[in-house]
Amino acid sequence: MITVSLCMIVKDEERILKRCLDCIADLVDEIVIVDTGSEDRTREIAAAYTKNIYDFTWTGDFSAARNFAFSKCTKEYIYAADADEVVDAENRRRFLDLKQTLLPEIEIVQMKYGNQLQFSTIYNFDEEYRPKLYKRLREFVWEYPIHEAVRLEPVVYDSDIVITHLPEALHTGRDVAAFEKMVKNGEYLDKKLCGLYARELFISGSEEEVRRARDYFKLVIEEEGRSPGEQTEAFCVVVRACRLSGDTAEFYKYAMRAAASDEEIPAEICYELGCFYRERGDLPEAAMWFYNALHETESILDKRCGGELAEEGLRACQE
């Protein structure tokens, strides 16, 4: 049977930390909790479960905090959990089965992260796989009988364990503020972060947050080295920002550039065109674009633009 360290970073989680630890503490062999500045009873609650409580001065960098937390773990595998997660009885059983049967060559175990749409800010699916269990020390292995090479890709196992996400509040404002800070500091947002920023804005961003992001995503469109997919995501943000700002000339400019690119026009652009014409009272034109968003294109950031939102827009134009 493998041994597992439960690893958490927390701050002011007194309302939900006990709920999380009660359902997982007896499944693991070590609990490591890193506190990033709690001012409530979080540390007191954690102390009832473990002596391995560490302080970490918050820097605004979640990766730095998690790296520090991982460095304090000593077991074979590390289970990374958040305080707003719950494991029910059936999945507790699955977790125990996994501990007893996991093959030693497995380096990452993915678990299904559930209940995302009720609370999440950037997800289009209610359940999706996420890496949750990590082998603490990786063993480098040679492979291939000829032209041998060290295996670089981790061995990943998709388990049937479902982790239920039950946060108390959304983190939209916090996350957008973090992206804005990185942009202000001149930090480069790679493909993943740039896409997450765009998705955050589209799914949960306020109108003002979308407008503030306009200049940055215009730079992404023109930036050398950005992939066509990244540019298309940027077009979506810029087009929405222009519509919300009432900048008709810029709206047409970027909507048409998106339509003329080598990438297929996404549902988000069609939806924005539908909203644009609906706001101007041209319902037949608006209906055409809502129809295209609903039936002729695919969403890349927010599936609602090619689904329920487009359907609502089309229905409003036909009433």
Side-chain angles (χ1 to χ4, degrees):
M1 179 185 295
I2 64 168
T3 58
V4 176
S5 298
L6 171 64
C7 184
M8 303 177 68
I9 57 172
V10 297
K11 181 181 180 181
D12 294 334
E13 305 286 8
E14 66 175 6
R15 297 171 307 282
I16 57 176
L17 182 58
K18 185 177 186 300
R19 181 185 69 183
C20 175
L21 291 174
D22 279 347
C23 68
I24 195 68
D26 63 331
L27 302 180
V28 299
D29 306 281
E30 175 183 62
I31 298 176
V32 172
I33 294 181
V34 171
D35 186 89
T36 61
S38 294
E39 297 179 352
D40 61 5
R41 296 178 53 250
T42 293
R43 290 179 63 91
E44 177 185 339
I45 295 169
Y49 297 84
T50 182
K51 295 180 180 179
N52 302 318
I53 303 173
Y54 303 91
D55 290 314
F56 181 82
T57 302
W58 181 243
T59 63
D61 187 335
F62 281 97
S63 290
R66 291 202 185 275
N67 285 334
F68 175 78
F70 269 36
S71 74
K72 300 300 181 181
C73 297
T74 64
K75 303 306 178 183
E76 294 173 275
Y77 285 82
I78 301 174
Y79 176 64
D82 291 325
D84 57 9
E85 297 174 1
V86 173
V87 182
D88 62 22
E90 180 180 359
N91 288 289
R92 280 172 47 82
R93 177 185 57 76
R94 291 173 176 171
F95 197 104
L96 283 175
D97 290 344
L98 179 75
K99 284 189 66 177
Q100 294 171 349
T101 61
L102 190 67
L103 298 175
E105 61 265 29
I106 302 297
E107 295 168 316
I108 295 176
V109 176
Q110 296 205 118
M111 301 178 185
K112 295 177 181 177
Y113 208 65
N115 202 39
Q116 295 188 134
L117 294 182
Q118 184 176 355
F119 300 102
S120 177
T121 61
I122 60 170
Y123 298 101
N124 283 308
F125 303 97
D126 200 44
E127 185 176 279
E128 69 174 1
Y129 272 117
R130 287 191 186 183
K132 295 292 290 179
L133 189 68
Y134 304 84
K135 197 166 190 179
R136 186 172 64 86
L137 299 177
R138 185 177 185 190
E139 299 171 348
F140 288 101
V141 177
W142 291 86
E143 57 184 1
Y144 309 127
I146 190 171
H147 299 299
E148 69 280 4
V150 170
R151 187 183 70 233
L152 301 179
E153 294 298 321
V155 179
V156 180
Y157 170 64
D158 292 341
S159 74
D160 59 356
I161 299 171
V162 179
I163 308 299
T164 302
H165 186 216
L166 293 176
E168 289 194 311
L170 297 177
H171 301 302
T172 307
R174 179 201 70 185
D175 294 347
V176 170
F179 282 120
E180 290 180 338
K181 181 180 178 181
M182 285 188 282
V183 170
K184 182 179 179 180
N185 291 340
E187 297 179 41
Y188 181 78
L189 302 188
D190 63 12
K191 180 178 180 179
K192 177 181 178 179
L193 285 179
C194 195
L196 287 172
Y197 187 15
R199 193 185 305 174
E200 186 97 48
L201 290 168
F202 243 80
I203 294 178
S204 301
S206 68
E207 292 188 4
E208 179 56 31
E209 287 168 338
V210 174
R211 285 193 290 263
R212 288 202 301 264
R214 174 177 170 178
D215 288 343
Y216 170 72
F217 282 96
K218 286 173 67 174
L219 292 175
V220 171
I221 291 172
E222 309 299 339
E223 189 173 6
E224 186 176 350
R226 291 289 186 178
S227 69
E230 291 175 87
Q231 292 172 328
T232 300
E233 291 174 342
F235 274 125
C236 292
V237 177
V238 172
V239 168
R240 172 164 287 188
C242 291
R243 179 178 67 81
L244 294 175
S245 301
D247 191 336
T248 301
E250 290 274 283
F251 176 85
Y252 274 127
K253 173 183 175 180
Y254 286 96
M256 294 306 102
R257 282 185 63 184
S261 70
D262 292 336
E263 296 287 293
E264 291 187 8
I265 185 170
E268 286 82 355
I269 296 293
C270 293
Y271 175 75
E272 289 301 315
L273 283 161
C275 292
F276 176 83
Y277 285 109
R278 182 184 175 191
E279 290 167 357
R280 281 151 183 76
D282 190 343
L283 298 186
E285 189 72 13
M288 181 195 73
W289 286 110
F290 285 135
Y291 180 90
N292 283 338
L294 187 61
H295 297 293
E296 303 295 336
T297 58
E298 298 290 335
S299 300
I300 61 172
L301 295 173
D302 183 358
K303 71 174 185 178
R304 298 175 303 167
C305 291
E308 60 196 68
L309 294 179
E311 188 174 8
E312 290 171 6
L314 182 59
R315 186 166 54 248
C317 292
Q318 295 172 338
E319 291 177 350

